[in-house]
Amino acid sequence: MRTFLFLLSFFWITQINAASRFELMGLDKNRAQLNYMLNCQGCHAKDGRGLGDVPALKGFVGNFLSSNEGRAYLIRVPGSANSPLTDVELAEVVNWILFTMSDKSLPDSFNPLTPEEVQTYRGQPILDANAERSRLIAKFPIEQKLAQ
């Protein structure tokens, strides 16, 4: 019984920590969710599964955090780099996506993207997002590739 209570309390605490971590970083979760709906959902779908030839975010997007290049990729893709969002809003949206759609692909050592990073990466947009995505995925460890 003690073990069960310990596990239950541990699960509850980690859920609170995951949810409040966003707010503790000074990010507005509601604004991020609204901006996702207005700027991303049309191509990536409400649940992040991707539509047509647009890649899925759900369950996979966190894998890009395994390298600095992958981290930058999330901002450098045309939909991010060219979005009408401010650097703060884009950081919120991308971090919200990572917190809500990464499932097990988000590394434990995840450090949220900052508006300063967004500003830097936006200045280096990707011309061929599909080729860059394929190049980065080719560098992933095999277990990350299988999750795709």
Side-chain angles (χ1 to χ4, degrees):
M1 181 67 169
R2 277 185 157 177
T3 303
F4 173 74
L5 290 175
F6 173 77
L7 291 174
L8 182 62
S9 65
F10 178 75
F11 175 77
W12 184 71
I13 288 169
T14 56
Q15 293 305 306
I16 288 174
N17 286 341
S20 64
R21 199 169 158 193
F22 199 83
E23 285 82 15
L24 289 174
M25 295 180 316
L27 301 174
D28 185 331
K29 183 179 117 185
N30 293 327
R31 180 173 61 189
Q33 190 171 6
L34 177 64
N35 279 327
Y36 177 84
M37 183 180 72
L38 295 173
N39 296 282
C40 312
Q41 182 173 312
C43 297
H44 288 286
K46 182 178 181 179
D47 62 358
R49 73 181 181 281
L51 299 172
D53 62 350
V54 176
L57 301 170
K58 183 79 175 161
F60 189 74
V61 69
N63 290 310
F64 287 100
L65 298 173
S66 62
S67 73
N68 287 334
E69 283 182 299
R71 187 175 173 93
Y73 168 81
L74 298 176
I75 302 301
R76 295 179 63 217
V77 293
S80 292
N82 299 316
S83 79
L85 300 174
T86 67
D87 294 338
V88 170
E89 291 169 333
L90 184 55
E92 285 177 342
V93 169
V94 174
N95 287 320
W96 180 84
I97 290 167
L98 290 165
F99 276 120
T100 60
M101 297 186 185
S102 293
D103 299 337
K104 295 177 182 174
S105 68
L106 188 67
D108 293 335
S109 61
F110 170 60
N111 289 315
L113 286 134
T114 66
E116 294 77 23
E117 283 178 288
V118 168
Q119 182 180 32
T120 298
Y121 297 149
R122 270 184 146 171
Q124 308 160 16
I126 296 171
L127 299 177
D128 187 343
N130 289 333
E132 181 67 3
R133 183 176 194 276
S134 295
R135 186 183 73 76
L136 290 170
I137 290 173
K139 293 180 175 184
F140 288 175
I142 190 70
E143 62 274 3
Q144 288 176 312
K145 292 178 194 176
L146 295 174
Q148 183 184 16

